Amino acid sequence: MGLYQKENAPKGPAGSGALPVVVKIAPLLSEDVILFPAEGVDKTAILEQLTAAVCRKAGQDPAAALAKVHEREAGISTTLDTGLSLPHARLPGIDGILAGLAVLKTPLVDPKQPELSIRAVFLFFSPDKPGAFPLHLQLLRGVASLFQAPLIEKLSAANGPADALALVRKSEG
Amino acid sequence: MDPRTRWRWSAKVKAEPGPGRRVTEVVVLTTAMLSFISFWRASAIVLCDLASTAYYIGGIVEQAVGKSAPWFILAVMMFSYAIRAVYMESCSMFVRGGVYKVVKEAMGGTLAKLSASALMFDYVLTGPISAVAAGQYLAGLLNALFPHFRIGWHLDPGWFSVVFAIAATVYFWWENIKGIHESSDKALKIMQLTTVMAVVMMAWCGLTLWLHPAPLPPFTLNFSPEALGWAPKLGWLKPVGAVGVIMAFGHSLLAMSGEESLAQVYREIEAPKMKNLERTGLVIFLYSMLLTSLTSFFAVMIIPDSVRISRYGDNLLSGLAMSVVGPHWARLLLQTFVVGVGVVILAGASNTSIVGANGVLNRLAEDGILVDWFRGLHKKYGTTHRLINLIVGLQIITILLCRGDVYMLGEAYAFGVIWSFVFKTLAVMVLRFKDRRPREFMVPLNIEAGGVEWPVGLALIFLVLLATASMNLITKKVATVSGTIFTAAFFGLFLYSERDNERRHADAHAVEEKFNLREETDLNRVGGEFKKDRRVLVGVRDPNNLLPLNKALDELDPENTELVAFTARVRSGLGLVEETAAMDADERRLFTRVLEVAEKHGKTVTPMLVVSNDPFYAIVQAAQAVGAAELLVGVSAKLSAEEQLERLAMTWGSLQTDNPPVRLRIIGAAGVEHNADL
C-alpha cells in the first residue's frame, strides 16, 4: 500500500491560513514498480506493463485496473508539457495509493497530442471512495509539480530503478 | 465606455523557452475596471446638482409667483420624495435605469428618444444656470467688496457671469476628459463645505428671527406677466380654481432638477446597491429639503421687500447673508463665505451636468442611437471625449445666448426636467403591467382588485406631473419654445444616428462597452498590481451563463479581496502567435456582460483576457500570476467536474513548484459546486 502524509488538514477557505494535504511521492515508489521500457514501445504497452507491475505488488487484478486507466485516458489528455504523462484512475477495493513510474530513454510522441513528447509516465491508482478524491487531486498536483523537466532529464540518464528512485527521493527532499 | 472605467493594465507574456511548452504566448488585454462609490459619495454627486438650486430657486420663483414662492418650493421638495421612489423602482429593474432605458422597455424607442431628448435639454441647461448663477454671486460679492478696498471698479454682473461660467465649464470639461474619480472626490468635499455653510447660515437666520420675529410668507399668488405666459389668452382657464396652484407649482419645479442623476449614479453605487440607493435617496431628500426650502423661507422672512428681488434676485443668499443680525463686517464675512461655497457648489453642479449628460449619451450610444464615432475613447484617459465635447459645446453656446440672465435660464430649464419625469413615471407604470417580475422596490400605494395590482401611487404621481407639464407648456413661453426646438433637434439627431447605425450594422447590435488596450511585458508585474490581501480568479466564457461570476460576486468582500474575471482566447499550434491586442465581437460581448453583472452587484471586477493554446494552462497561469487563493470555473460541456478538477490540479502542479494553498471550485447549474483544496 502507498503512503501519504497529512501535514495539515484544511480548516477553512483557501488563503485563510489553512494548508492542504501534502502528499509525499517517493514513498509511493519502489524499485519493482520503476520500469525502463524498451525503445519503440507505444504508450498503450507502457500502461500495460506499469499496471501489471503495480497490481502485482499490491495483489490487485491488472485487467480491471487497466480498463479503468483506459477509460480515463479516453477523456482529456493526461500528458503535460514538461514531458510527464500522468495516467491515473480511481479503483474500488484499495485503501491507499498504488503507483509506478516508467522512464523513457527516447521520447515518445503522445498519441492524443502529437505536439507533445512523453519522457516519463507516472501511473497511479487511488481509492474510489468519496473521501479519497482530495488526496487523488493532491497527488496529481504533487506529481506534476515534482516531475519538472530537469528531473525528467536526469531520470532519462539514470542507470536503473534504484538510481531513478534515489533521484526522485533527492528531488523531493 | 463609461467615464468611470479606468484603464488598469495589460500584459504580454511569453512562456519560458523550451520545446513543446503548451503556453506559447499570453496576451492579457487591457481591461476596464469599474470602481464603485459609497452612498455618501453618490449623495454628494446628486446633491451638487440638486442642492445647488438653493442658490437661485428662491429668486426665480419669487419673480414668477410672488412672496408665496417658499410654500411652492417646499411642496416641490416634498414631492421630490415621490419622484425618488419612481427612480428607485426603475433602478431596481435596470441597473442602467435612466429615462431612456426605462421608457424604451415600456413604450418603445420613439418615445424613449423623445424623453431622452427632453432630458438632454435639462442637462445642457443645468450646467449654464449653475455656472452663471455662480458668476452672479461672485460679481455681487466683488462689487460689494471693491469700495472697502478703495477700488473704483464695478463689474457688470451679466457679462462677468458669462466669462466666469465659460471658465468653470471649460475647467470641468477637462476634469471629465480625465475621468470621474477626481470629480466624485470633489463632489464630496464640496458637499462637506456646503454643509458647514448651511449650518452657519441656518443658525444665524434662526438667531435673527428669534431677535426680530417675522411672519411666514403669505399663500397669496401674485404672478408676474411673464409667468402667465399664454394663459391670459385662454379665458377658459380662469374659472378653474386649481390652475393657479398648478401654475405656481410648475414654476417651482426646477427645485428638484437633479433627481435623474440618481439613476445615473446607481450604476456606480457599491453593494448592497438598493440599500445604498435608499440611503442616497434619503440623504438627498433631507438635505435638499432643509437647504432649499429653509433658505427660501428665510429669504422672504428676513430680506427686506425693497431689495430682495431688485438687488438680490440673482443672488438671494447673498442678500440673506447681508440681512441677518450682526455688525456689517461680520455680515460681509458671511456673504463672502456663502458666495465662496456657492461658487464651488454651483460649479460642482456644472460638473454634475456634464457627468450626467455624458452618462445618458453613453447609454444611447450603446443602444445604437448615436453613431459609433461618438463612443470613441480618449487615447490617454479612456473617456468618451467626443460626447463630453458635444455637451460642453452646447453649454457654452447656451451661456453666451443667455448673456448672464439666470431668470431666463430658469424659465427654460424646467421643460426638460418635467417632461423627462412624465415619461419616466408613465414608463414605470406601464412596466407594472408589462413586466411582472418581482421588484426589489416598488412605489407604495398599490391596491389589489380583480386579480390585478393597481399602481395607485404611481398613477397619482403621474397625474400631478402631467398636469404640471401641460400647464408649463402654456405658462412658460421661453421653456416651451426653446425646449421644443432643442428637443426636436436632439430627437432628429438620435433618429438620424440610429438609422445610420442600422445601415452600417445590418445585424443590429447588443449593448457593448468600449475597451482600451495597453500592453505590458510581464504577467507577474501585472499580478503585483493587486494590492488587497486576497485574490479570486473566476473563469468566464459564455455571456449568458455567468454563474461562477455571480457566485464569486455574491461572496466577495471588496474590502480585502480582488476579483479577476478571466477568459482565454484559444488558438491552436505551439509556435509563437503574434496576436493583436484587440478583442473580437464575442469577447466584447462577454466583457460587456461581465461589467453589467459587476455593476448589478456593485463590486469591482478586473476582466482579463489571455491568448493561449490551452485554456487550462492559461487560467492556471493567470491564477498563479495574480496569487489567487480561489479559482472558480463553470462546469464544462465536454468534461465532468471531476475531470476538470483533475486537469486543473495537474496543470497547477506542473506550473508551480512551491506550495501556496488554492481552492478550486467548479460551479454547476443551480449552484451545485464541486471543490477541492490544493
Tab-separated table of all heavy atoms in Angstrom, chain A residues 10 12-14 18 20 22 72 75-77 79-81 86 88 90 113 115-116 136-138 140-141 144-145 148, chain B residues 20-22 534 574 616-617 629 639 642 646-647 649-650 652-654 656-660 662-663 676-678:
chain	number	residue	atom	x	y	z
A	10	PRO	N	-7.078	20.797	5.801
A	10	PRO	CA	-7.670	22.107	5.533
A	10	PRO	C	-8.764	22.431	6.543
A	10	PRO	O	-9.572	21.592	6.860
A	10	PRO	CB	-8.246	21.947	4.120
A	10	PRO	CG	-8.308	20.488	3.867
A	10	PRO	CD	-7.312	19.840	4.752
A	12	GLY	N	-10.376	25.756	6.539
A	12	GLY	CA	-11.242	26.861	6.107
A	12	GLY	C	-10.977	27.169	4.662
A	12	GLY	O	-10.314	26.401	3.962
A	13	PRO	N	-11.469	28.298	4.200
A	13	PRO	CA	-11.278	28.656	2.797
A	13	PRO	C	-9.806	28.803	2.463
A	13	PRO	O	-9.006	29.182	3.306
A	13	PRO	CB	-11.983	30.018	2.683
A	13	PRO	CG	-12.747	30.203	3.919
A	13	PRO	CD	-12.174	29.308	4.960
A	14	ALA	N	-9.497	28.499	1.226
A	14	ALA	CA	-8.120	28.658	0.780
A	14	ALA	C	-7.705	30.099	0.985
A	14	ALA	O	-8.479	31.011	0.779
A	14	ALA	CB	-7.996	28.284	-0.680
A	18	ALA	N	-5.290	27.961	6.166
A	18	ALA	CA	-5.290	26.508	6.199
A	18	ALA	C	-4.351	25.968	5.129
A	18	ALA	O	-4.249	26.523	4.044
A	18	ALA	CB	-6.699	25.996	5.943
A	20	PRO	N	-3.186	22.706	2.677
A	20	PRO	CA	-3.764	21.486	2.129
A	20	PRO	C	-2.957	20.257	2.539
A	20	PRO	O	-1.855	20.371	3.072
A	20	PRO	CB	-3.662	21.716	0.627
A	20	PRO	CG	-2.482	22.615	0.490
A	20	PRO	CD	-2.439	23.466	1.699
A	22	VAL	N	-0.455	17.464	2.085
A	22	VAL	CA	0.753	17.396	1.256
A	22	VAL	C	1.121	15.930	1.069
A	22	VAL	O	1.285	15.198	2.038
A	22	VAL	CB	1.910	18.166	1.918
A	22	VAL	CG1	3.197	17.983	1.116
A	22	VAL	CG2	1.549	19.643	2.010
A	72	ARG	N	-10.089	6.342	-18.377
A	72	ARG	CA	-9.670	7.720	-18.078
A	72	ARG	C	-8.870	8.320	-19.233
A	72	ARG	O	-9.027	9.511	-19.565
A	72	ARG	CB	-8.833	7.730	-16.789
A	72	ARG	CG	-8.240	9.078	-16.435
A	72	ARG	CD	-9.326	10.122	-16.190
A	72	ARG	NE	-8.773	11.468	-16.040
A	72	ARG	CZ	-8.460	12.282	-17.039
A	72	ARG	NH1	-8.664	11.906	-18.290
A	72	ARG	NH2	-7.977	13.487	-16.787
A	75	GLY	N	-10.573	10.166	-21.941
A	75	GLY	CA	-11.028	11.546	-21.683
A	75	GLY	C	-9.937	12.551	-21.997
A	75	GLY	O	-9.103	12.343	-22.896
A	76	ILE	N	-9.919	13.630	-21.256
A	76	ILE	CA	-8.965	14.713	-21.509
A	76	ILE	C	-7.534	14.219	-21.259
A	76	ILE	O	-7.306	13.378	-20.402
A	76	ILE	CB	-9.305	15.941	-20.636
A	76	ILE	CG1	-8.494	17.160	-21.075
A	76	ILE	CG2	-9.107	15.644	-19.162
A	76	ILE	CD1	-8.980	18.455	-20.462
A	77	SER	N	-6.628	14.762	-22.037
A	77	SER	CA	-5.226	14.316	-22.002
A	77	SER	C	-4.630	14.368	-20.596
A	77	SER	O	-4.932	15.259	-19.800
A	77	SER	CB	-4.403	15.202	-22.926
A	77	SER	OG	-3.040	14.944	-22.728
A	79	THR	N	-1.223	14.163	-20.409
A	79	THR	CA	0.183	14.494	-20.663
A	79	THR	C	0.421	15.989	-20.480
A	79	THR	O	-0.389	16.810	-20.919
A	79	THR	CB	0.583	14.063	-22.085
A	79	THR	OG1	0.400	12.654	-22.183
A	79	THR	CG2	2.037	14.403	-22.376
A	80	LEU	N	1.522	16.280	-19.817
A	80	LEU	CA	1.862	17.686	-19.553
A	80	LEU	C	3.045	18.106	-20.423
A	80	LEU	O	3.808	17.253	-20.894
A	80	LEU	CB	2.231	17.857	-18.079
A	80	LEU	CG	1.098	17.532	-17.098
A	80	LEU	CD1	1.651	17.329	-15.688
A	80	LEU	CD2	0.051	18.626	-17.109
A	81	ASP	N	3.199	19.390	-20.591
A	81	ASP	CA	4.265	19.854	-21.485
A	81	ASP	C	5.653	19.771	-20.863
A	81	ASP	O	6.641	20.127	-21.490
A	81	ASP	CB	3.985	21.264	-22.002
A	81	ASP	CG	3.898	22.275	-20.882
A	81	ASP	OD1	4.074	21.870	-19.718
A	81	ASP	OD2	3.655	23.456	-21.172
A	86	LEU	N	0.691	11.480	-16.997
A	86	LEU	CA	0.221	11.190	-15.641
A	86	LEU	C	-1.093	10.413	-15.672
A	86	LEU	O	-2.147	10.898	-15.234
A	86	LEU	CB	0.075	12.527	-14.892
A	86	LEU	CG	-0.190	12.595	-13.407
A	86	LEU	CD1	0.636	11.589	-12.619
A	86	LEU	CD2	0.100	13.995	-12.898
A	88	HIS	N	-4.044	7.993	-14.584
A	88	HIS	CA	-4.496	7.715	-13.221
A	88	HIS	C	-5.914	7.176	-13.278
A	88	HIS	O	-6.621	7.365	-14.293
A	88	HIS	CB	-4.450	8.984	-12.377
A	88	HIS	CG	-5.204	10.123	-12.998
A	88	HIS	ND1	-4.605	11.020	-13.868
A	88	HIS	CD2	-6.501	10.482	-12.933
A	88	HIS	CE1	-5.501	11.895	-14.269
A	88	HIS	NE2	-6.669	11.578	-13.727
A	90	ARG	N	-9.336	5.833	-10.415
A	90	ARG	CA	-9.806	5.565	-9.049
A	90	ARG	C	-10.327	4.132	-9.047
A	90	ARG	O	-11.168	3.757	-9.867
A	90	ARG	CB	-10.871	6.583	-8.672
A	90	ARG	CG	-10.312	7.996	-8.720
A	90	ARG	CD	-11.368	9.036	-8.485
A	90	ARG	NE	-11.817	8.984	-7.093
A	90	ARG	CZ	-12.910	9.577	-6.654
A	90	ARG	NH1	-13.661	10.271	-7.492
A	90	ARG	NH2	-13.256	9.481	-5.388
A	113	GLN	N	-1.877	14.019	-28.319
A	113	GLN	CA	-1.363	15.367	-28.614
A	113	GLN	C	0.005	15.232	-29.253
A	113	GLN	O	1.020	15.328	-28.566
A	113	GLN	CB	-1.248	16.178	-27.316
A	113	GLN	CG	-2.576	16.347	-26.592
A	113	GLN	CD	-2.370	17.049	-25.269
A	113	GLN	OE1	-2.508	18.263	-25.177
A	113	GLN	NE2	-2.004	16.300	-24.255
A	115	GLU	N	1.945	17.030	-30.651
A	115	GLU	CA	2.937	18.095	-30.467
A	115	GLU	C	3.704	17.939	-29.151
A	115	GLU	O	4.687	18.635	-28.915
A	115	GLU	CB	2.265	19.469	-30.535
A	115	GLU	CG	1.386	19.853	-29.368
A	115	GLU	CD	-0.052	19.359	-29.498
A	115	GLU	OE1	-0.297	18.403	-30.270
A	115	GLU	OE2	-0.940	19.919	-28.827
A	116	LEU	N	3.262	17.027	-28.289
A	116	LEU	CA	3.934	16.824	-27.002
A	116	LEU	C	4.714	15.513	-26.982
A	116	LEU	O	4.280	14.512	-27.544
A	116	LEU	CB	2.916	16.808	-25.859
A	116	LEU	CG	2.159	18.105	-25.585
A	116	LEU	CD1	1.216	17.921	-24.404
A	116	LEU	CD2	3.107	19.256	-25.317
A	136	HIS	N	-6.491	12.247	-4.181
A	136	HIS	CA	-6.259	11.985	-5.598
A	136	HIS	C	-5.787	13.276	-6.297
A	136	HIS	O	-4.801	13.267	-7.049
A	136	HIS	CB	-7.586	11.480	-6.202
A	136	HIS	CG	-7.533	11.146	-7.650
A	136	HIS	ND1	-7.179	9.898	-8.111
A	136	HIS	CD2	-7.812	11.887	-8.746
A	136	HIS	CE1	-7.236	9.897	-9.433
A	136	HIS	NE2	-7.628	11.088	-9.843
A	137	LEU	N	-6.491	14.374	-6.001
A	137	LEU	CA	-6.120	15.652	-6.626
A	137	LEU	C	-4.770	16.161	-6.114
A	137	LEU	O	-3.971	16.707	-6.878
A	137	LEU	CB	-7.205	16.713	-6.359
A	137	LEU	CG	-8.560	16.449	-6.991
A	137	LEU	CD1	-9.585	17.483	-6.518
A	137	LEU	CD2	-8.466	16.496	-8.517
A	138	GLN	N	-4.541	15.957	-4.826
A	138	GLN	CA	-3.246	16.356	-4.270
A	138	GLN	C	-2.105	15.634	-4.958
A	138	GLN	O	-1.043	16.207	-5.209
A	138	GLN	CB	-3.203	16.050	-2.766
A	138	GLN	CG	-3.909	17.062	-1.904
A	138	GLN	CD	-3.325	18.456	-2.071
A	138	GLN	OE1	-2.112	18.608	-2.289
A	138	GLN	NE2	-4.166	19.463	-2.014
A	140	LEU	N	-2.121	14.379	-7.973
A	140	LEU	CA	-1.954	14.919	-9.328
A	140	LEU	C	-1.114	16.196	-9.291
A	140	LEU	O	-0.184	16.378	-10.075
A	140	LEU	CB	-3.316	15.220	-9.958
A	140	LEU	CG	-4.128	14.012	-10.438
A	140	LEU	CD1	-5.550	14.438	-10.779
A	140	LEU	CD2	-3.472	13.384	-11.663
A	141	ARG	N	-1.466	17.065	-8.363
A	141	ARG	CA	-0.704	18.317	-8.263
A	141	ARG	C	0.743	18.037	-7.847
A	141	ARG	O	1.685	18.588	-8.423
A	141	ARG	CB	-1.352	19.246	-7.236
A	141	ARG	CG	-0.544	20.505	-7.013
A	141	ARG	CD	-1.057	21.352	-5.876
A	141	ARG	NE	-0.171	22.499	-5.679
A	141	ARG	CZ	-0.463	23.547	-4.918
A	141	ARG	NH1	-1.605	23.602	-4.297
A	141	ARG	NH2	0.371	24.543	-4.795
A	144	ALA	N	2.826	16.293	-10.641
A	144	ALA	CA	3.082	17.250	-11.732
A	144	ALA	C	4.098	18.296	-11.317
A	144	ALA	O	4.917	18.760	-12.117
A	144	ALA	CB	1.773	17.927	-12.139
A	145	SER	N	4.056	18.665	-10.046
A	145	SER	CA	4.978	19.664	-9.534
A	145	SER	C	6.391	19.101	-9.390
A	145	SER	O	7.377	19.775	-9.701
A	145	SER	CB	4.453	20.166	-8.187
A	145	SER	OG	5.335	21.085	-7.632
A	148	GLN	N	9.338	17.924	-12.903
A	148	GLN	CA	9.580	19.007	-13.845
A	148	GLN	C	10.647	18.549	-14.854
A	148	GLN	O	11.317	17.527	-14.651
A	148	GLN	CB	10.063	20.248	-13.102
A	148	GLN	CG	9.033	20.858	-12.156
A	148	GLN	CD	7.864	21.532	-12.882
A	148	GLN	OE1	8.038	22.104	-13.953
A	148	GLN	NE2	6.660	21.413	-12.322
B	20	GLY	N	8.032	22.394	-26.860
B	20	GLY	CA	6.739	21.820	-26.532
B	20	GLY	C	5.971	22.472	-25.403
B	20	GLY	O	5.067	21.885	-24.855
B	21	ARG	N	6.350	23.700	-25.007
B	21	ARG	CA	5.567	24.342	-23.950
B	21	ARG	C	4.162	24.598	-24.453
B	21	ARG	O	3.952	25.044	-25.561
B	21	ARG	CB	6.215	25.675	-23.556
B	21	ARG	CG	7.539	25.560	-22.842
B	21	ARG	CD	7.459	24.905	-21.513
B	21	ARG	NE	6.669	25.670	-20.551
B	21	ARG	CZ	6.573	25.351	-19.255
B	21	ARG	NH1	7.165	24.272	-18.803
B	21	ARG	NH2	5.863	26.079	-18.436
B	22	ARG	N	3.191	24.315	-23.609
B	22	ARG	CA	1.806	24.483	-24.046
B	22	ARG	C	1.446	25.955	-24.232
B	22	ARG	O	0.770	26.312	-25.160
B	22	ARG	CB	0.846	23.855	-23.031
B	22	ARG	CG	0.938	22.350	-22.946
B	22	ARG	CD	0.466	21.707	-24.212
B	22	ARG	NE	-0.921	22.068	-24.521
B	22	ARG	CZ	-1.494	21.842	-25.674
B	22	ARG	NH1	-0.788	21.319	-26.659
B	22	ARG	NH2	-2.741	22.149	-25.881
B	534	ARG	N	-6.352	39.271	-0.548
B	534	ARG	CA	-6.778	38.046	-1.244
B	534	ARG	C	-7.128	38.364	-2.691
B	534	ARG	O	-7.601	39.456	-2.997
B	534	ARG	CB	-8.048	37.480	-0.591
B	534	ARG	CG	-7.815	36.524	0.533
B	534	ARG	CD	-9.154	36.014	1.038
B	534	ARG	NE	-9.433	34.678	0.563
B	534	ARG	CZ	-10.456	34.320	-0.169
B	534	ARG	NH1	-11.335	35.208	-0.559
B	534	ARG	NH2	-10.640	33.065	-0.525
B	574	LEU	N	1.729	25.491	-31.505
B	574	LEU	CA	2.672	25.798	-30.429
B	574	LEU	C	3.607	26.947	-30.770
B	574	LEU	O	4.326	27.436	-29.922
B	574	LEU	CB	3.519	24.560	-30.111
B	574	LEU	CG	2.832	23.502	-29.257
B	574	LEU	CD1	3.675	22.243	-29.224
B	574	LEU	CD2	2.613	24.023	-27.861
B	616	PHE	N	-6.662	25.437	-19.979
B	616	PHE	CA	-6.308	25.086	-18.609
B	616	PHE	C	-5.002	25.757	-18.195
B	616	PHE	O	-4.881	26.302	-17.098
B	616	PHE	CB	-6.194	23.562	-18.450
B	616	PHE	CG	-7.536	22.893	-18.382
B	616	PHE	CD1	-8.104	22.327	-19.509
B	616	PHE	CD2	-8.241	22.833	-17.187
B	616	PHE	CE1	-9.336	21.733	-19.450
B	616	PHE	CE2	-9.484	22.236	-17.129
B	616	PHE	CZ	-10.040	21.674	-18.260
B	617	TYR	N	-4.024	25.700	-19.091
B	617	TYR	CA	-2.761	26.363	-18.794
B	617	TYR	C	-2.971	27.859	-18.628
B	617	TYR	O	-2.392	28.491	-17.740
B	617	TYR	CB	-1.737	26.106	-19.900
B	617	TYR	CG	-0.952	24.850	-19.674
B	617	TYR	CD1	-1.442	23.620	-20.086
B	617	TYR	CD2	0.277	24.882	-19.016
B	617	TYR	CE1	-0.748	22.457	-19.866
B	617	TYR	CE2	0.978	23.721	-18.786
B	617	TYR	CZ	0.478	22.502	-19.215
B	617	TYR	OH	1.169	21.365	-18.982
B	629	ALA	N	-6.233	32.910	-4.361
B	629	ALA	CA	-6.498	31.942	-3.291
B	629	ALA	C	-7.641	31.028	-3.689
B	629	ALA	O	-7.802	29.949	-3.125
B	629	ALA	CB	-6.845	32.677	-2.009
B	639	LEU	N	-16.494	18.048	-20.314
B	639	LEU	CA	-15.837	17.294	-19.248
B	639	LEU	C	-16.713	17.246	-18.006
B	639	LEU	O	-17.502	18.153	-17.761
B	639	LEU	CB	-14.509	17.958	-18.871
B	639	LEU	CG	-13.487	18.179	-19.980
B	639	LEU	CD1	-12.314	18.978	-19.454
B	639	LEU	CD2	-13.002	16.834	-20.520
B	642	GLU	N	-15.258	16.288	-12.172
B	642	GLU	CA	-14.067	15.591	-11.658
B	642	GLU	C	-12.901	15.711	-12.636
B	642	GLU	O	-11.760	15.961	-12.239
B	642	GLU	CB	-14.381	14.106	-11.420
B	642	GLU	CG	-15.141	13.874	-10.133
B	642	GLU	CD	-15.187	12.416	-9.743
B	642	GLU	OE1	-14.585	11.591	-10.456
B	642	GLU	OE2	-15.844	12.111	-8.740
B	646	GLU	N	-9.329	17.424	-12.008
B	646	GLU	CA	-8.089	16.668	-12.216
B	646	GLU	C	-7.130	17.437	-13.120
B	646	GLU	O	-5.938	17.567	-12.842
B	646	GLU	CB	-8.402	15.299	-12.828
B	646	GLU	CG	-9.015	14.328	-11.837
B	646	GLU	CD	-9.394	12.995	-12.473
B	646	GLU	OE1	-9.350	12.883	-13.725
B	646	GLU	OE2	-9.748	12.080	-11.724
B	647	ARG	N	-7.676	17.943	-14.207
B	647	ARG	CA	-6.816	18.643	-15.161
B	647	ARG	C	-6.253	19.938	-14.542
B	647	ARG	O	-5.097	20.290	-14.753
B	647	ARG	CB	-7.615	18.936	-16.440
B	647	ARG	CG	-6.810	19.567	-17.535
B	647	ARG	CD	-5.781	18.629	-18.111
B	647	ARG	NE	-4.659	19.363	-18.686
B	647	ARG	CZ	-3.691	18.841	-19.408
B	647	ARG	NH1	-3.668	17.552	-19.643
B	647	ARG	NH2	-2.720	19.575	-19.893
B	649	ALA	N	-5.724	20.450	-11.369
B	649	ALA	CA	-4.731	20.083	-10.354
B	649	ALA	C	-3.395	19.745	-11.008
B	649	ALA	O	-2.335	20.190	-10.553
B	649	ALA	CB	-5.244	18.905	-9.529
B	650	MET	N	-3.453	18.965	-12.086
B	650	MET	CA	-2.229	18.599	-12.809
B	650	MET	C	-1.520	19.841	-13.335
B	650	MET	O	-0.307	20.010	-13.194
B	650	MET	CB	-2.581	17.709	-14.018
B	650	MET	CG	-2.575	16.229	-13.715
B	650	MET	SD	-2.629	15.310	-15.254
B	650	MET	CE	-4.305	15.476	-15.718
B	652	TRP	N	-1.902	22.898	-12.409
B	652	TRP	CA	-1.436	23.746	-11.304
B	652	TRP	C	-0.057	23.282	-10.834
B	652	TRP	O	0.867	24.068	-10.660
B	652	TRP	CB	-2.434	23.707	-10.141
B	652	TRP	CG	-2.180	24.806	-9.156
B	652	TRP	CD1	-1.257	24.811	-8.152
B	652	TRP	CD2	-2.823	26.074	-9.117
B	652	TRP	NE1	-1.282	25.998	-7.480
B	652	TRP	CE2	-2.242	26.797	-8.040
B	652	TRP	CE3	-3.832	26.682	-9.867
B	652	TRP	CZ2	-2.639	28.088	-7.717
B	652	TRP	CZ3	-4.230	27.960	-9.521
B	652	TRP	CH2	-3.638	28.660	-8.472
B	653	GLY	N	0.072	21.975	-10.632
B	653	GLY	CA	1.339	21.430	-10.156
B	653	GLY	C	2.459	21.619	-11.159
B	653	GLY	O	3.584	21.982	-10.791
B	654	SER	N	2.159	21.414	-12.431
B	654	SER	CA	3.219	21.492	-13.444
B	654	SER	C	3.756	22.914	-13.593
B	654	SER	O	4.876	23.120	-14.019
B	654	SER	CB	2.717	20.984	-14.793
B	654	SER	OG	1.895	21.934	-15.401
B	656	GLN	N	3.727	25.182	-11.006
B	656	GLN	CA	4.149	25.787	-9.752
B	656	GLN	C	4.834	24.747	-8.878
B	656	GLN	O	4.250	23.712	-8.575
B	656	GLN	CB	2.925	26.351	-9.016
B	656	GLN	CG	3.290	27.310	-7.919
B	656	GLN	CD	2.047	27.947	-7.336
B	656	GLN	OE1	1.134	27.245	-6.918
B	656	GLN	NE2	1.999	29.260	-7.293
B	657	THR	N	6.026	25.028	-8.467
B	657	THR	CA	6.758	24.039	-7.675
B	657	THR	C	6.680	24.331	-6.185
B	657	THR	O	6.980	23.474	-5.373
B	657	THR	CB	8.236	23.995	-8.103
B	657	THR	OG1	8.737	25.322	-8.095
B	657	THR	CG2	8.381	23.402	-9.489
B	658	ASP	N	6.295	25.543	-5.805
B	658	ASP	CA	6.097	25.765	-4.370
B	658	ASP	C	4.659	25.403	-4.016
B	658	ASP	O	3.929	24.882	-4.845
B	658	ASP	CB	6.445	27.211	-3.978
B	658	ASP	CG	5.650	28.217	-4.794
B	658	ASP	OD1	4.897	27.765	-5.664
B	658	ASP	OD2	5.786	29.419	-4.560
B	659	ASN	N	4.242	25.692	-2.816
B	659	ASN	CA	3.012	25.073	-2.368
B	659	ASN	C	1.997	26.013	-1.723
B	659	ASN	O	1.414	25.683	-0.708
B	659	ASN	CB	3.387	23.965	-1.359
B	659	ASN	CG	2.282	22.954	-1.212
B	659	ASN	OD1	1.527	22.733	-2.142
B	659	ASN	ND2	2.181	22.361	-0.030
B	660	PRO	N	1.734	27.210	-2.280
B	660	PRO	CA	0.706	28.043	-1.650
B	660	PRO	C	-0.676	27.420	-1.851
B	660	PRO	O	-0.950	26.858	-2.919
B	660	PRO	CB	0.817	29.373	-2.400
B	660	PRO	CG	1.432	29.040	-3.691
B	660	PRO	CD	2.263	27.823	-3.491
B	662	VAL	N	-4.554	26.729	-2.599
B	662	VAL	CA	-5.562	27.289	-3.501
B	662	VAL	C	-6.802	26.406	-3.426
B	662	VAL	O	-6.704	25.195	-3.202
B	662	VAL	CB	-5.047	27.367	-4.958
B	662	VAL	CG1	-4.762	25.990	-5.527
B	662	VAL	CG2	-6.028	28.116	-5.847
B	663	ARG	N	-7.959	27.032	-3.559
B	663	ARG	CA	-9.201	26.245	-3.618
B	663	ARG	C	-9.723	26.292	-5.049
B	663	ARG	O	-9.932	27.382	-5.609
B	663	ARG	CB	-10.236	26.815	-2.649
B	663	ARG	CG	-11.591	26.130	-2.789
B	663	ARG	CD	-12.528	26.473	-1.654
B	663	ARG	NE	-12.109	25.780	-0.431
B	663	ARG	CZ	-12.746	25.905	0.731
B	663	ARG	NH1	-13.795	26.694	0.835
B	663	ARG	NH2	-12.324	25.241	1.787
B	676	ALA	N	-12.163	21.616	-4.275
B	676	ALA	CA	-11.036	20.908	-3.680
B	676	ALA	C	-9.990	21.921	-3.247
B	676	ALA	O	-9.760	22.923	-3.929
B	676	ALA	CB	-10.434	19.950	-4.699
B	677	ASP	N	-9.399	21.661	-2.098
B	677	ASP	CA	-8.286	22.496	-1.628
B	677	ASP	C	-6.983	21.843	-2.018
B	677	ASP	O	-6.751	20.681	-1.702
B	677	ASP	CB	-8.346	22.638	-0.104
B	677	ASP	CG	-9.515	23.486	0.323
B	677	ASP	OD1	-9.652	24.593	-0.221
B	677	ASP	OD2	-10.309	23.031	1.165
B	678	LEU	N	-6.164	22.566	-2.699
B	678	LEU	CA	-4.848	22.021	-3.051
B	678	LEU	C	-3.783	22.695	-2.191
B	678	LEU	O	-3.847	23.895	-1.949
B	678	LEU	CB	-4.540	22.287	-4.530
B	678	LEU	CG	-5.394	21.554	-5.548
B	678	LEU	CD1	-4.915	21.890	-6.935
B	678	LEU	CD2	-5.332	20.048	-5.341
